[in-house]
Amino acid sequence: MSALTQSIDIFIDEQVKAGKVSSVVEAEEMILSAVSERALERKLARAQEQVKNGQFYEANDDFINDLLFDARSRITPAN
């Protein structure tokens, strides 16, 4: 077991024992949500910097369709 895994396990146990979450699954979801939020914030900051530098794509119909397709493929579970 890695040091990171041990740290996560300790954090999860502490959250459950402190009553901040009701289960291990809820604690894991909380962690995943926080990590996803951080990743999104980094992507938004990078995108803002690219816009400032003139590095962007025109949001035409093809771009939006590709973006929506990508978003759907990420949230739709694979069968």
Side-chain angles (χ1 to χ4, degrees), residues 62-76:
D62 289 335
F63 176 82
I64 298 299
N65 287 335
D66 290 344
L67 181 68
L68 292 174
F69 177 80
D70 185 49
R72 281 189 203 105
S73 68
R74 290 174 187 239
I75 62 172
T76 305

Side-chain angles (χ1 to χ4, degrees), residues 24-40:
V24 170
V25 172
E26 189 176 341
E28 291 170 344
E29 289 172 353
M30 179 183 68
I31 292 168
L32 291 172
S33 177
V35 169
S36 295
E37 185 177 324
R38 289 179 68 164
L40 179 59

